[in-house]
């Protein structure tokens, strides 16, 4: 084992912890949404501080690694990817917190029919699955898993578009549900943004392992 | 390693090595090295000790000729001329291809005499010519301002960094077109090293520079292209940016990231 492997491993573990923390935030927010559990929602808001603290810690560790080890080639790509993924994860943490804030704000249960019709829960599951896949891809340095994430993101985009149409149609018949509809659409929008963030993470994993830049490129 | 383009215009290259093999007795020190170097560029040669990079560097001004058991095959062309052709006079070649060594090696003479040494041994006696050569070379080597008031001072009284710049000035005085440097900053402190690196960057406007270095960051900072040697083979030769961000060969990656062996 060479001198540089230690800080690389430490950074990797730190980022894996960050993945875990953010995944927990996201699944707790999902549970809070499903069960309309305001206490759990508040817990997510509280834990967001810890996510931010982790982000700063990893930023600093990456900065130290660059300054002290002057990494090149795969080590350099690794640390660049860590910095960006760290930022993406922190954003996902923000989004999870944003979702729980809706739950705290809202006075009554979400309209069950709208929840059902909008496909919000399957979409939420898909978003969580994307994030856990990204974690696995990062841990195992597996670009095959990373590439599958792009397909899932398309699924999220699809549900997002469909949900808006379904809900708008539903509202024409029953305008009283407008508040619920707005909340649900807002959550769906947030889930769609999580998809984008995880997609960025997948691109960074591929960049670091294969040295291929997928950003802004057409994927097939 | 051949470059990708099929049509090669040798006029574009200052220096070309074509299938060069070197032996010291039975030891095969360089194996089939082909490399082309453009004028006014800095090329870094990197690799572990004993990989052949210094042997390659020394081939370029025929410093290996007198090593016992030295044998070479292949061609080295400078400005399209084969420098190992019979008619080539080694003294003339070394005027064209200057060399700066790892440890500063000024002669125990004055600063002035050191700089013009290459001219005086070629029987240049005209004081004005020598004065001009001394001033110009010291200016180019970024040493003039520090020594202009005391050119008669012994070169040995200069600091290590100054001595190295003096040796560069001495090399420049005979007007070479190629400068070879064998770890020119490895014996210097960071400030002197920075000065040498700055100087290399300046000199490449007028000269073609080939440098052996063990300092990866130095190669990254100063060179346009980097060649990685290992066990007498040229493993990879590419733009320095490519070598240090995305090397194609596993061996190169292991070496530059410090995971060799």
């Amino acid at each position: 084992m060479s001198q540089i492997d230690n800080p690389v491993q430490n950074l990797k573990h730190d980022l894996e912890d960050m993945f875990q923390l953010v995944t927990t935030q996201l699944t707790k927010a999902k549970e809070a949404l499903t069960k309309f559990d305001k206490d759990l929602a508040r817990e997510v808001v509280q834990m967001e501080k810890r996510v931010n603290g982790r982000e700063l810690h990893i930023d600093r560790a990456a900065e130290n690694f660059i300054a002290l080890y002057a990494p090149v080639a795969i080590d350099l790509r690794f640390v660049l990817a860590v910095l960006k993924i760290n930022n993406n994860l922190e954003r996902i943490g923000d989004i999870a917190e944003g979702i729980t804030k809706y739950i705290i704000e809202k006075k009554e249960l979400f309209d069950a029919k709208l929840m059902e019709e909008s496909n919000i829960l399957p979409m939420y599951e898909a978003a969580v699955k994307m994030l856990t896949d990204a974690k696995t891809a990062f841990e195992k340095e597996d670009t095959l898993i990373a590439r599958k994430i792009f397909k899932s993101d398309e699924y999220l985009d699809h549900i997002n578009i469909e949900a808006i149409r379904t809900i708008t149609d539903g509202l024409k018949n029953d305008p009283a549900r407008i508040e619920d509809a707005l909340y649900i659409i807002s959550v769906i929008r947030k889930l769609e943004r999580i998809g984008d963030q995880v997609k960025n993470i997948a691109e960074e994993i591929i960049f670091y392992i294969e040295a291929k830049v997928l950003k802004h490129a057409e994927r097939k | 390693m051949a470059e990708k383009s099929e049509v090669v215009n040798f006029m574009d290259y200052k220096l070309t090595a074509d299938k060069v093999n070197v032996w010291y007795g039975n030891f095969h020190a360089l194996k089939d090295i082909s490399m082309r170097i453009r004028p006014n560029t800095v090329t870094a040669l990197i690799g572990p000790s004993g990989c052949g990079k210094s042997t390659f560097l020394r081939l370029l001004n025929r410093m290996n000729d007198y090593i016992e058991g030295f044998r070479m095959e292949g061609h080295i062309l400078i400005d399209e001329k084969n420098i190992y052709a019979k008619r080539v006079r080694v003294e003339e070649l070394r005027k064209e291809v200057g060399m700066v060594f790892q440890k500063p090696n000024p002669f125990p003479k004055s600063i002035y005499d050191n700089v013009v040494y290459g001219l005086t041994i070629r029987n240049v006696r005209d004081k004005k010519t020598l004065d001009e050569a001394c001033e110009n070379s010291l200016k180019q080597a970024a040493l003039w301002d520090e020594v202009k008031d005391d050119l008669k001072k012994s070169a040995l009284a200069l600091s290590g960094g100054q001595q190295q710049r003096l040796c560069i000035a001495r090399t420049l005085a005979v007007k070479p077109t190629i400068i070879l440097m064998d770890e020119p900053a490895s014996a210097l402190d960071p400030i002197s090293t920075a000065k040498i690196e700055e100087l290399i960057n300046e000199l490449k406007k007028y000269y073609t520079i080939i440098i052996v270095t063990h300092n990866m960051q130095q190669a990254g900072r100063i060179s346009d292209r980097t060649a990685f040697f290992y066990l007498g083979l040229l493993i990879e030769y590419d733009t320095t940016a490519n070598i240090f961000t995305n090397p194609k060969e596993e061996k190169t990656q292991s070496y530059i990231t410090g995971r060799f062996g």
Side-chain angles (χ1 to χ4, degrees):
Chain A
M1 197 151 136
S2 100
Q3 188 80 349
I4 202 167
D5 287 329
N6 261 328
V8 167
Q9 283 310 316
N10 289 343
L11 260 181
K12 193 162 188 225
H13 290 147
D14 282 348
L15 198 70
E16 284 165 11
D17 289 349
M18 178 76 168
F19 261 112
Q20 192 53 58
L21 186 60
V22 170
T23 309
T24 308
Q25 286 287 86
L26 198 59
T27 47
K28 276 187 181 162
K30 175 167 177 270
E31 208 183 321
L33 177 73
T34 325
K35 297 180 178 163
F36 200 62
D37 184 339
K38 286 181 189 259
D39 286 340
L40 193 57
R42 287 191 193 95
E43 189 185 318
V44 173
V45 173
Q46 203 57 32
M47 285 290 282
E48 169 61 13
K49 288 190 196 108
R50 189 176 292 183
V51 176
N52 292 343
R54 277 264 117 197
E55 188 206 13
L56 292 178
H57 165 81
I58 292 172
D59 271 356
R60 180 145 331 137
E63 190 186 329
N64 287 346
F65 176 60
I66 292 170
L68 302 177
Y69 291 83
V72 292
I74 190 158
D75 299 324
L76 177 64
R77 299 198 307 268
F78 168 76
V79 69
L80 291 175
V82 164
L83 278 170
K84 289 186 186 169
I85 294 172
N86 188 34
N87 184 249
N88 293 135
L89 289 172
E90 193 273 334
R91 295 287 298 278
I92 295 173
D94 281 348
I95 297 172
E97 186 201 24
I99 292 173
T100 54
K101 279 187 171 161
Y102 292 147
I103 301 163
I104 298 167
E105 262 171 40
K106 195 153 182 318
K107 305 226 163 38
E108 291 153 25
L109 276 172
F110 289 99
D111 185 289
K113 192 160 172 262
L114 271 181
M115 293 272 279
E116 173 76 31
E117 283 171 357
S118 64
N119 270 327
I120 187 170
L121 291 178
M123 184 185 189
Y124 207 137
E125 261 159 48
V128 173
K129 173 83 170 42
M130 276 175 79
L131 185 58
T132 50
D133 282 350
K135 180 170 183 269
T136 313
F138 179 75
E139 280 170 353
K140 297 188 171 162
E141 303 188 345
D142 188 332
T143 52
L144 232 64
I145 300 177
R147 284 196 157 80
K148 280 186 190 147
I149 287 168
F150 302 130
K151 203 82 207 151
S152 311
D153 184 49
E154 285 171 16
Y155 171 67
L156 256 58
D157 288 344
H158 171 74
I159 295 190
N160 179 36
I161 293 164
E162 284 294 302
I164 291 168
R165 189 176 307 147
T166 316
I167 291 176
T168 334
D169 287 351
L171 280 181
K172 282 177 192 155
N173 303 324
D174 190 0
R177 293 189 299 176
I178 191 150
E179 191 194 344
D180 281 68
L182 286 174
Y183 271 115
I184 288 174
I185 284 185
S186 301
V187 174
I188 284 178
R189 279 275 162 78
K190 286 192 182 297
L191 293 174
E192 192 265 335
R193 291 229 298 280
I194 288 177
D196 291 344
Q197 296 289 337
V198 182
K199 191 183 73 181
N200 291 344
I201 292 176
E203 286 172 351
E204 290 306 321
I205 293 171
I206 292 166
F207 159 74
Y208 129 61
I209 297 164
E210 296 179 0
K212 284 188 185 134
V213 178
L214 299 183
K215 209 184 280 181
H216 310 306
E218 280 293 315
R219 260 183 304 271
K220 286 187 181 147
Chain B
M1 190 180 287
E3 296 193 18
K4 274 181 192 125
S5 70
E6 292 298 318
V7 186
V8 176
N9 184 357
F10 286 95
M11 295 281 277
D12 292 344
Y13 297 97
K14 179 73 189 168
L15 191 147
T16 304
D18 185 30
K19 296 195 184 76
V20 172
N21 281 277
V22 167
W23 291 263
Y24 296 121
N26 290 326
F27 177 62
H28 198 170
L30 285 178
K31 299 165 188 166
D32 265 332
I33 308 293
S34 294
M35 218 173 137
R36 288 192 286 270
I37 292 173
R38 290 184 190 276
N40 303 100
T41 57
V42 178
T43 304
L45 311 180
I46 63 169
S49 299
C51 68
K53 60 189 186 304
S54 292
T55 293
F56 182 75
L57 190 78
R58 288 197 306 259
L59 276 182
L60 307 180
N61 72 347
R62 294 188 55 172
M63 296 241 305
N64 296 325
D65 285 18
Y66 304 107
I67 295 178
E68 210 176 299
F70 168 78
R71 189 157 60 84
M72 179 195 149
E73 281 175 10
H75 301 285
I76 290 179
L77 310 179
I78 289 177
D79 294 327
E80 300 169 81
K81 285 185 216 94
N82 179 4
I83 63 166
Y84 281 83
K86 282 211 174 79
R87 63 178 185 285
V88 171
R89 290 177 54 209
V90 174
E91 324 67 276
E92 285 306 307
L93 172 71
R94 294 204 184 137
K95 199 178 138 210
E96 179 85 12
V97 186
M99 180 128 181
V100 178
F101 297 87
Q102 179 175 6
K103 275 200 179 157
N105 54 352
F107 303 125
K109 291 168 177 280
S110 71
I111 294 168
Y112 184 93
D113 288 344
N114 262 278
V115 179
V116 300
Y117 182 81
L119 297 173
T120 50
I121 59 167
R122 287 178 177 87
N123 292 319
V124 178
R125 293 283 176 256
D126 178 49
K127 175 130 182 7
K128 192 163 167 271
T129 311
L130 293 176
D131 286 354
E132 273 174 14
C134 179
E135 182 172 341
N136 291 337
S137 307
L138 284 169
K139 276 182 176 162
Q140 266 203 328
L143 188 59
W144 176 249
D145 289 339
E146 291 162 54
V147 300
K148 65 181 178 208
D149 299 324
D150 208 358
L151 294 173
K152 293 293 163 207
K153 188 165 83 174
S154 166
L156 300 179
L158 297 172
S159 74
Q162 288 173 325
Q163 287 186 7
Q164 193 61 306
R165 278 179 283 146
L166 177 69
C167 293
I168 293 174
R170 189 175 65 192
T171 304
L172 300 180
V174 294
K175 295 192 169 23
T177 59
I178 296 177
I179 303 172
L180 310 177
M181 297 184 167
D182 196 350
E183 295 188 61
S186 65
L188 304 179
D189 70 77
I191 294 167
S192 305
T193 299
K195 278 191 186 150
I196 298 284
E197 289 180 3
E198 214 174 291
L199 179 57
I200 289 172
N201 204 26
E202 193 58 32
L203 292 176
K204 98 175 183 187
K205 291 178 193 157
Y206 314 101
Y207 309 93
T208 304
I209 298 170
I210 302 160
I211 175 169
V212 162
T213 178
H214 278 136
N215 181 335
M216 298 296 106
Q217 276 71 53
Q218 181 169 72
R221 285 191 297 265
I222 61 172
S223 69
D224 301 292
R225 294 178 79 87
T226 295
F228 171 57
F229 285 76
Y230 182 58
L231 297 177
L233 293 162
L234 177 57
I235 303 291
E236 192 165 352
Y237 175 42
D238 202 343
T239 63
T240 299
N242 278 346
I243 293 278
F244 285 97
T245 57
N246 184 20
K248 299 288 170 289
E249 301 294 327
E250 192 65 40
K251 281 198 182 85
T252 315
Q253 172 139 301
S254 301
Y255 180 71
I256 62 169
T257 60
R259 290 190 180 82
F260 221 62

